[in-house]
Structures are given as structure tokens and as C-alpha cells.
Amino acid sequence: MTASPREDIRIVLVDDDRDACETLSEVLQFDGYSVRFATTAQEAIATVEEYQPICALVDLGLPDLDGCELSRQLRDRYGPDLVLIAVTGRVGQQAHDKAMACGIDHVLSKPLSLERLRSFFPPRG
């Protein structure tokens, strides 16, 4: 049974792996969050503009535009109101520092820890 959507918690997932987006989207929707996803940076920009999420999870390894550059563009357009979470297969301080320099708020390594991801969103009330 899927929880009713929490329109106050709108999330956009950005990853060129459509299966990963669909799977994570289903998990977050099951948790009651309202989710959309994009598989390219250009699609992500349009989705964020139209959907006005509170959070975007951005894969740093996008094929059409570097995830850091996408994050910079989103930060420039939406400022600190949009929480940016980088998702990366790279680990270590250098990867973390690079993501933070792009205007990212948090960095998560793949495979994602759902518990860690859920900690960024307020619990259902």
C-alpha cells in the first residue's frame, strides 16, 4: 500500500540510468514523497522549473552535462531554497570536496543508503 503523497516534499531525481530512477522513485513514493525524475541535465532543468521541488538528487556522472555544472546552474537559478544532493560512484575526500565546490549541500555515495537519504527529509507527521 502506497502512502498518500506529501506535496510539501517534492523531489526530483536526476540520473541517466532510467531503471535506477524508477526504482528509487517507487521507494520514495512508497514513503509518501512526491517524486519526478529526469534522465538528462536538460530534462532536469525543465522538470525543476515546472515542478518546483524542495530537493534534487543529482548524479554527478551525467552524459549530456556534468552533474557539477548542472548543480551550479540549479544553484544559480534557485539559490539555497533547493537542497542539492550529489549522488556519485566515487568515494573519498576529493570527490566530496569537488561536489561541495559545485554548490552541493550533501554527498551520497552509490549504492545509496535509503536510511541516510531518508534522514534529509522530515518524517511523516
Side-chain angles (χ1 to χ4, degrees):
M1 178 180 203
T2 302
S4 60
R6 292 191 57 190
E7 290 301 318
D8 58 325
I9 307 291
R10 293 180 312 279
I11 302 167
V12 170
L13 308 175
V14 185
D15 195 316
D16 59 317
D17 182 342
R18 178 174 285 283
D19 290 338
C21 281
E22 288 175 351
T23 300
L24 184 54
S25 177
E26 288 175 11
V27 169
L28 291 172
Q29 287 174 359
F30 184 81
D31 282 354
Y33 302 111
S34 182
V35 183
R36 293 198 184 160
F37 66 84
T39 57
T40 69
Q42 294 307 311
E43 184 183 1
I45 290 168
T47 301
V48 169
E49 177 70 29
E50 182 252 324
Y51 192 51
Q52 298 293 303
I54 66 159
C55 176
L57 274 77
V58 179
D59 180 9
L60 295 182
L62 297 172
D64 63 330
L65 183 67
D66 178 78
C68 275
E69 181 55 34
L70 171 62
S71 297
R72 281 187 194 101
Q73 288 184 24
L74 292 173
R75 180 62 70 221
D76 287 347
R77 288 182 188 201
Y78 302 102
D81 292 337
L82 177 63
V83 176
L84 293 172
I85 301 175
V87 179
T88 182
R90 297 185 179 138
V91 295
Q93 192 63 42
Q94 186 176 9
H96 183 272
D97 292 347
K98 179 183 177 191
M100 298 306 282
C102 300
I104 299 289
D105 297 300
H106 307 283
V107 180
L108 295 177
S109 296
K110 291 180 181 181
L112 289 179
S113 160
L114 291 178
E115 187 171 311
R116 175 95 167 104
L117 178 59
R118 288 176 179 131
S119 75
F120 295 118
F121 309 119
R124 291 183 60 82

